[in-house]
Amino acid sequence: MELQDFLDHVNRGALIEGGSEAHGFMHAAAQDALRTIAELNTGYRTPDEVRALLEQLTGKPVDESVVLFPPFYSEFGKNLTLGTDVFINLGCRFQDTGGITIGDGSLIGHGSTLTTLDHGIDPDRRADMVPAPVVIGRKVWLGAAVTVVPGVTIGDGAIVGAGAVVTRDVPANSIVAGVPAKLLRATGYDASPVARRA
């Protein structure tokens, strides 16, 4: 199996069966990611070196406006897409096998966890995994220690309070908090590109 075959598989939400070819590919790819992460997290790295290692991890260009403070953890890397002006604070953990996209201008608070794989419910099939992407819109702010579960989309301009566990989609320009996260109110701002041009 090649990388694109695997990405096509997970990006259509297909099951990763325990012991399958896709499962084996995922584990082999994890070793490459872990080598890059070890280099990123060992010793001081300049911002340019951090971005170069992120490009190695993701296999994609990373804009010079992206800032990441190590340590950072990812078990796959190749299904992570970062927009421009993204800031990722210390100690974040991205399980991007199922796909993580972070929109332009978004801030990810320290210690946040984004997950994209659920295990099988049947104990005899617990090694099976179901991928579901996490999509973070533009100008989103995740507070410290936020957890986002598989399949969640957070709309443009939303704010997620520190320590929240986000289990369902978050509307654009809203504030949510709690475990599980609940809608508190609208932000009063419109982060959509059309509103910004007006």
Side-chain angles (χ1 to χ4, degrees), residues 23 31 35 43-44 51 59 67 71 87 90 102 104 108 120 130 135 149-151 154 164 176 191 193:
H23 192 245
Q31 298 310 304
R35 275 191 289 277
Y44 173 73
R51 280 187 290 275
V67 175
F87 174 71
L90 296 158
I102 300 178
D104 299 345
I108 311 299
V130 180
V135 178
V149 304
I154 299 177
V176 301

Side-chain angles (χ1 to χ4, degrees), residues 28-42 53 56:
Q31 298 310 304
D32 291 336
L34 293 173
R35 275 191 289 277
T36 302
I37 291 300
E39 188 174 348
L40 174 65
N41 292 335
T42 306
L53 287 165
Q56 182 178 318

Side-chain angles (χ1 to χ4, degrees), residues 12-57:
R12 67 176 179 267
L15 182 71
I16 303 169
E17 292 187 41
S20 68
E21 182 183 12
H23 192 245
F25 179 88
M26 182 184 72
H27 276 277
Q31 298 310 304
D32 291 336
L34 293 173
R35 275 191 289 277
T36 302
I37 291 300
E39 188 174 348
L40 174 65
N41 292 335
T42 306
Y44 173 73
R45 301 284 179 255
T46 68
D48 286 341
E49 290 171 329
V50 168
R51 280 187 290 275
L53 287 165
L54 280 175
E55 289 187 349
Q56 182 178 318
L57 176 70

Side-chain angles (χ1 to χ4, degrees), residues 154-172:
I154 299 177
D156 293 349
I159 298 171
V160 180
V165 177
V166 187
T167 60
R168 59 181 59 153
D169 291 353
V170 174

Side-chain angles (χ1 to χ4, degrees), residues 70-136:
F72 172 74
Y73 305 95
S74 167
E75 95 303 357
F76 188 70
K78 297 298 190 278
N79 214 0
L80 172 60
T81 303
L82 302 173
T84 60
D85 295 310
V86 168
F87 174 71
I88 301 168
N89 214 330
L90 296 158
C92 289
R93 297 171 296 274
F94 290 5
Q95 182 199 48
D96 69 287
T97 302
I100 293 174
T101 302
I102 300 178
D104 299 345
S106 286
L107 311 175
I108 311 299
H110 62 275
S112 289
T113 301
L114 310 182
T115 64
T116 64
L117 295 174
D118 278 322
H119 285 278
I121 295 172
D122 179 348
D124 293 332
R125 301 298 309 169
R126 194 59 48 87
D128 292 350
M129 286 168 272
V130 180
V134 165
V135 178
I136 308 293

